[in-house]
Amino acid sequence: MENYYRAIYFVAGKYPKNVMARIIELSGVEGPIVMEDMYYSIDNEYAANGCFEELEDYFIENGIPFNRDSSSWYGVQPESRIYRPDELDSIIIRDNEGYEYVKTYQIEEILKEENMSDAAKLLSIQELVLEQNPSFTELADYQILWKDESNITPFTPSEDYEPDGVVTLMFIKRDKPDFIEPKVQIS
């Protein structure tokens, strides 16, 4: 297994202590989790295949939005993984400068299609571009709300609030009132 730089970013906010402890454990680093802008960041220079495999699985299982960036290493292209429980789970391959790209053979195959109009070819090329550079909600645009046995209405807990019983974490888009299905239940 090759080792190379990786960083993972996830929604900032108050998490139950046991959830944050599990995130730190699965990240493989002992250092602190850093808050940048409106998201948390965990950096690690050495990683098997540039991924946080167990942590990424944990985030997906629990509906926690995240981004992961891995740099290039001995011929392996840089990549990003973008996970949004309500939008996408996509691995984006980048060039060494960090830009997304579409392979030219894919464009050439479309252009060679004889049974497609020019407009249909253009739409197919546009789909390839959007696949490599999808639009998605930024991590800073999410908010964490809690719901527990004593509070029927979702709420933002105070810093000193500790749950007494089961807690459901909800990740909502700040500009939209609709909730993502809650997935994390903490006892």
Side-chain angles (χ1 to χ4, degrees), residues 71-73 76-78 94-99 101:
S71 64
S72 63
W73 182 264
V76 175
Q77 292 297 112
R94 302 184 184 279
D95 67 15
N96 287 328
E97 284 80 42
Y99 295 105
Y101 63 92

Side-chain angles (χ1 to χ4, degrees), residues 1 3 10 36 44 52-53 55 97 99 125 184-185:
M1 284 194 185
N3 291 328
F10 60 101
E36 297 179 18
N44 190 339
F52 289 82
E53 289 183 41
L55 182 55
E97 284 80 42
Y99 295 105
I125 291 170
V184 177
Q185 299 237 335

Side-chain angles (χ1 to χ4, degrees), residues 59-183:
F59 283 157
I60 290 169
E61 288 170 16
N62 294 294
I64 301 172
F66 72 89
N67 297 354
R68 187 249 309 144
D69 292 325
S70 302
S71 64
S72 63
W73 182 264
Y74 292 109
V76 175
Q77 292 297 112
E79 70 178 29
S80 295
R81 182 174 190 183
I82 311 297
Y83 173 74
R84 301 295 183 270
D86 58 336
E87 291 178 43
L88 77 139
D89 182 3
S90 183
I91 294 179
I92 301 166
I93 307 299
R94 302 184 184 279
D95 67 15
N96 287 328
E97 284 80 42
Y99 295 105
E100 306 82 11
Y101 63 92
V102 176
K103 295 176 180 158
T104 56
Y105 80 86
Q106 294 172 305
I107 296 171
E108 288 171 351
E109 287 177 1
I110 293 169
L111 293 174
K112 289 178 185 176
E113 270 300 319
E114 293 179 10
N115 298 329
M116 289 177 82
S117 68
D118 288 344
K121 289 177 183 180
L122 186 58
L123 287 174
S124 293
I125 291 170
Q126 183 179 18
E127 286 176 22
L128 284 174
V129 170
L130 290 174
E131 189 177 299
Q132 288 303 313
N133 192 6
S135 61
F136 53 86
T137 305
E138 295 296 329
L139 292 174
D141 293 333
Y142 281 95
Q143 172 182 358
I144 301 174
L145 295 179
W146 290 28
K147 193 172 167 186
D148 64 17
E149 295 167 355
S150 63
N151 294 288
I152 298 170
T153 305
F155 64 97
T156 302
S158 64
E159 281 302 312
D160 59 342
Y161 179 84
E162 281 306 316
D164 184 29
V166 174
V167 171
T168 300
L169 297 181
M170 304 173 98
F171 296 87
I172 64 165
K173 296 174 188 175
R174 294 178 195 277
D175 63 341
K176 294 184 181 177
D178 46 325
F179 291 101
I180 296 169
E181 284 298 314
K183 295 206 178 188

